[in-house]
Amino acid sequence: MIVVAHLSDIHLDGGERSAARARKVLAYLNNAPGPIDAVLVTGDIADHGELGEYQLAREILKSRYPVFDCPGNHDKRAAYREGLLGQPPADGPINQLHEVAGAVFAMCDSSVPGRPQGFLDDETIEWLDGVLAGSETPAFVCFHHPPVDLGIPAVDVIRQHSEGRLAAVIERHPRVVALLCGHTHTAAATTFAGRPLVMAPGVVSTSLLPFEPLGQRSWDEGGALDLGGPPSLAFHVLHDDRRLTTHYRVVS
């Protein structure tokens, strides 16, 4: 059995609110008895993509468990590399492969510099196809933008596009047990290319659905967010028969 903690959309912006919420989630995980095999952070780590936001993220995201991350649409690659990864700044896609506890985690960069919607470019698609080849080890494919509509208008318009290219890769590799992403700011689950596609809830806020009460905002204004609710996260359990169970928790 493999246990993965999955959080997303912490949006560190230099303010105390977002930092406090992220610290609360990491304290919750670090105080958990375990075993937790890995912690995934699927994008929008910074809100403005500034170097200082990533330097703060590097400090907040320290954990006694391995932490794997990928960029979102609010992230900027050069500062992300320098401040979070400790690498020289560069503008190419940030794709990372990790292996732990008998599973592989392909952390893909679905960000498009200067644009909110997602896309896996040719370099990323070729990289993903290559790292999934030649092994039967269970693999999780992770990125920020969901590659399907979810019934949330403000999210669907900036989801991952040209998803047929990703589907073709997934269909070639039966070792892929699930796809994990963020961007939605709400817990959600569906399927893609015949595999589970599971979204982590947002740490910084929660998206309201179009059929929920929206308070003072309407979907014509770009959607509605609940800023008052507690941060939350997902736990994914991969069973020995490669069946995936997902649990969601709020951190109060």
Side-chain angles (χ1 to χ4, degrees):
M1 183 174 74
I2 299 169
V3 178
V4 179
H6 179 195
L7 53 144
S8 196
D9 297 271
I10 62 178
H11 284 269
L12 296 174
D13 58 3
E16 180 54 34
R17 179 185 176 276
S18 58
R21 290 171 73 92
R23 290 185 194 278
K24 181 180 288 189
V25 172
L26 266 294
Y28 171 81
L29 291 174
N30 288 331
N31 289 327
I36 297 172
D37 295 299
V39 177
L40 308 181
V41 189
T42 51
D44 280 1
I45 293 169
D47 194 57
H48 305 107
E50 296 178 356
L51 179 60
E53 294 169 345
Y54 295 111
Q55 292 170 333
L56 178 61
R58 191 173 185 177
E59 184 263 312
I60 289 177
L61 293 175
K62 289 179 180 176
S63 176
R64 62 193 185 101
Y65 307 113
V67 178
F68 309 145
D69 52 75
C70 60
N73 53 292
H74 279 253
D75 292 308
K76 295 182 180 177
R77 293 170 176 174
Y80 187 112
R81 278 191 166 92
E82 184 177 2
L84 184 59
L85 303 182
Q87 300 175 358
D91 293 326
I94 300 171
N95 300 312
Q96 304 177 81
L97 184 70
H98 304 279
E99 185 167 359
V100 67
V104 162
F105 297 85
M107 309 299 295
C108 305
D109 189 344
S110 64
S111 69
V112 180
R115 302 178 69 180
Q117 62 266 42
F119 176 74
L120 300 182
D121 67 13
D122 290 345
E123 179 180 338
T124 299
I125 287 288
E126 291 171 8
W127 173 84
L128 180 61
D129 201 21
V131 299
L132 292 176
S135 174
E136 297 302 318
T137 304
F140 292 88
V141 175
C142 312
F143 38 72
H144 182 66
H145 299 77
V148 293
D149 287 343
L150 300 170
I152 309 174
V155 175
D156 292 344
V157 72
I158 55 171
R159 68 169 176 88
Q160 184 184 145
H161 297 290
S162 300
E163 65 275 11
R165 299 156 71 252
L166 172 63
V169 171
I170 301 303
E171 289 164 356
R172 281 197 292 274
H173 299 287
R175 66 183 293 205
V176 176
V177 294
L179 300 97
L180 308 177
C181 65
H183 195 50
T184 61
H185 289 239
T186 189
T190 185
T191 58
F192 178 80
R195 318 297 161 85
L197 169 64
V198 189
M199 279 60 67
V203 170
V204 74
S205 62
T206 299
S207 292
L208 296 176
L209 303 173
F211 38 82
E212 290 186 289
L214 300 180
Q216 299 302 309
R217 295 192 61 191
S218 73
W219 287 98
D220 290 340
E221 296 169 329
L225 294 173
D226 176 7
L227 300 177
S232 50
L233 73 159
F235 287 100
H236 307 297
V237 179
L238 184 65
H239 302 273
D240 292 342
D241 60 0
R242 300 199 177 190
R243 178 175 53 87
L244 188 74
T245 299
T246 296
H247 306 271
Y248 292 104
R249 287 291 182 270
V250 297
V251 182
S252 57

